[in-house]
Amino acid sequence: MKKVSVVILNWNGAGMLRNYLPSVIRYSQGEDVEVCVADNGSTDHSCEILEKEFPSVRLICLDRNYGFAEGYNKALAQVDAKYVVLLNSDVEVTEGWLDTLTDYMEKHPEVVACQPKLLGWRDRERFEYAGASGGFIDYYGYPFCRGRIFDVVEKDRHQYDTVIPVFWATGAALYIRLDKYREVGGLDGRFFAHMEEIDLCWRLNSRGYRLVCIPQSVVYHVGGATLKKENPRKTFLNFRNNLLMLYKNLPDEDLKPVMRMRALLDFIASMVYVAKLDFRNAKAVWNARKEFMTLREQFKPDRKENLQRTVVSDIPQRYRFSILWQSKIKGRKFFSTLPG
């Protein structure tokens, strides 16, 4: 058994592997550490490049593209390690990034998952959208980060360098105990991609486990390498999966009020797209709600199991306010200005 397995999921990303894998290999050394690339049925030359140019990397070949969530489930079924890192293929790591995370996890057995600080690869002085310095959600299921609220991404002035509990750790660089990953069922493969790590972290939180951000470990993330922002497919997956996540995990007393408000807020979101003449994204929001209604019955057993296994229903890192109200109406654009 390895102590740490760094697992990169790849799909037709030969160029990204050449650009970013060298830093992962260089700064992820050790007898008890392995770097793996799980290929999600690529049709480019990814596997050939890995075999010829990166012989030290363990290659896990999947027979087709299972998406982010199920692809990782398939890959981690072939991994034997105490800890695993789910690392995006467009992440450049830095010296000491892995040792810092491992040392913390070894000293804090009550913590089951963590993330490093994510900075932008293009603008290295700013936090990166997908995870920044730790993730949270509001009462209605909208995710935000310490360092990023909606499209406002702060400069990193070391204002968020303390280790703190988080609601979710980014899937771009998620460090987790493999036994706990398996215990709670891993990522939900039905999500395919987007929101799957927040759903996983909700299950961990509700079962009494702790997750933290460790900003002393730093990585640089390109972001948006698979689906660009405002892509209708991404919009569809984000809205649909967010609703599925809420349905799976919300306490009984919150389910109806949250879902009623989300119906209104999603309608408003679609109208904003219409006002911009962006009819494809407006349609994606409507289709996401339609598919959620179709799939909801299928997720009833998951909801029942999650509620039965819940030991912490009022998770502190799930804020009781609306981040839309705080940010768009009250003008609180930075995490440090939020109430509480």
Side-chain angles (χ1 to χ4, degrees), residues 119 123 125-127 147 153-160:
L119 298 178
D123 185 349
E125 293 183 355
R126 289 191 181 274
F127 291 103
V153 181
E154 297 182 49
K155 277 194 173 184
D156 176 26
R157 298 185 177 91
H158 304 287
Q159 68 272 42
Y160 302 128

Side-chain angles (χ1 to χ4, degrees), residues 230 235 239 269-279 281-282 285:
E230 300 300 311
T235 299
F239 275 81
S270 68
M271 289 300 99
V272 170
Y273 281 125
V274 169
K276 295 177 180 178
L277 303 182
D278 187 351
F279 300 110
N281 273 298
V285 176

Side-chain angles (χ1 to χ4, degrees), residues 15 19 47 58 67 108 116 137 231 246 250 274 313 318:
N19 286 337
C47 291
R58 179 187 170 200
H108 297 84
I137 64 168
N231 179 292
L246 290 170
L250 277 173
V274 169
S313 57
R318 177 185 168 229

Side-chain angles (χ1 to χ4, degrees), residues 73 76 176-187 200:
N73 289 338
L76 296 188
I176 188 169
R177 298 181 191 272
L178 183 55
D179 61 339
K180 300 305 180 186
Y181 179 95
R182 290 170 173 162
E183 178 188 309
V184 301
L187 298 171
L200 168 64

Side-chain angles (χ1 to χ4, degrees), residues 251-320:
D252 280 334
E253 62 271 19
D254 289 345
L255 184 62
K256 286 185 178 179
V258 168
M259 286 306 196
R260 285 170 183 161
M261 180 57 73
R262 276 303 300 269
L264 173 61
L265 294 173
D266 291 353
F267 173 76
I268 293 171
S270 68
M271 289 300 99
V272 170
Y273 281 125
V274 169
K276 295 177 180 178
L277 303 182
D278 187 351
F279 300 110
R280 294 177 66 208
N281 273 298
K283 185 178 180 181
V285 176
W286 300 333
N287 287 341
R289 290 201 59 85
K290 181 180 179 181
E291 184 153 325
F292 162 68
M293 297 302 293
T294 301
L295 293 175
R296 186 171 58 179
E297 191 70 22
Q298 176 185 327
F299 282 80
K300 271 190 175 179
D302 300 87
R303 174 171 175 76
K304 182 178 180 181
E305 179 187 2
N306 288 340
L307 294 182
Q308 286 176 341
R309 299 182 66 180
T310 292
V311 297
V312 180
S313 57
D314 189 11
I315 302 166
Q317 291 73 41
R318 177 185 168 229
Y319 283 75
R320 305 299 289 183

